[in-house]
């Protein structure tokens, strides 16, 4: 790919946004490639976990507003069509039913922060700078941010983050509930690698169903949630992986999950 580096190892797919000269700002090519790789990860049984990160000491500085074919200025598309293209990337990430981790160093700004928050888990370095900077640029939220923010931090905090467009350190973002962990930069990769390896070795079907249940809970009543849980759990009990987990527990060994 032109703007992404994709590495696969032991069930972990690491997708690195690779435009370091622009702090990995997303141009039109990157948007197309991100959507394609997200859909590919979802479709490949061998891919169990995805790590999304950026090259050159930054995560993603948002949409590249200077790109003539990007979401802000593509002359071949209407304004609404251009922004729907960006929204399609957010939806493709959201539709991945496998665990996803954002590994954030440096700037994660605007649509770039939306990408990070669209992952299931966000781990950042103590040098990270996070901002929903849209209001400072005369813009409103995009790339799924209006859906993600209130679910992560509550409506009042979401309004504060979005209306002021402040820049948050990793520690401040942790206190707000935007990220899961903040680590010294020299510990970041090892920590994310460990989390990714643990999830990749886990039961793919059960993890996928757990993620789907949590996402669906926002639109569900308690009655619907427990019914959905019952359906998923009854399916789990019929799988090879659950039987393997029970046997491994009884035999005091690690389970070997195959996603069946």
């Amino acid at each position: 790919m032109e703007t992404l580096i994709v590495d696969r190892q032991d069930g972990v797919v690491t997708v690195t946004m690779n435009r370091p000269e622009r702090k990995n700002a997303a141009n039109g090519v990157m948007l197309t490639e991100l959507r394609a790789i997200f859909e590919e990860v979802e479709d490949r049984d061998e891919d169990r976990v995805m790590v999304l990160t950026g090259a050159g000491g930054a995560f993603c500085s948002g949409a590249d507003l200077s790109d003539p074919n990007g979401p802000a200025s593509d002359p071949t598309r209407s304004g609404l069509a251009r922004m729907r293209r960006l929204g399609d990337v957010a939806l493709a990430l959201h539709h991945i039913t496998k665990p996803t981790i954002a590994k954030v160093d440096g700037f994660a700004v605007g649509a770039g922060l939306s990408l990070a928050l669209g992952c299931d888990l966000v781990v950042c370095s103590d040098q990270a700078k996070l901002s929903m900077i849209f209001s400072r640029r005369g813009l409103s939220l995009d790339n799924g941010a209006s859906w993600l923010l209130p679910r992560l931090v509550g409506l009042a905090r979401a309004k504060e983050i979005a209306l002021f467009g402040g820049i948050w350190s990793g520690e401040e973002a942790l206190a707000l509930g935007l990220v899961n962990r903040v680590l010294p930069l020299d510990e970041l990769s090892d920590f994310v690698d460990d989390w990714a390896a643990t999830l990749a070795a886990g039961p793919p079907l059960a993890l996928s169903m757990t993620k789907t249940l949590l996402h669906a809970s926002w639109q569900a009543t308690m009655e619907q949630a427990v019914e959905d849980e019952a359906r998923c759990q009854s399916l789990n009990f019929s799988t090879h992986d659950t039987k393997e987990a029970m046997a491994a527990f009884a035999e005091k060994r690690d389970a070997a999950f195959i996603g069946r």
Side-chain angles (χ1 to χ4, degrees), residues 7-36:
D7 176 72
R8 287 182 162 94
Q9 187 171 357
D10 299 328
V12 178
V13 186
T14 301
V15 177
T16 303
M17 294 174 281
N18 189 36
R19 299 185 74 222
E21 73 285 356
R22 299 287 299 166
K23 298 190 185 303
N24 304 316
N27 62 3
V29 175
M30 183 183 284
L31 293 178
T32 298
E33 293 183 344
L34 282 171
R35 180 179 178 183

Side-chain angles (χ1 to χ4, degrees), residues 53 121 158 180 186 190 192 199 241 252:
T53 191
L121 302 162
N180 296 88
D186 61 359
D190 285 346
V192 171
L199 291 169
D241 280 353
K252 297 181 172 56

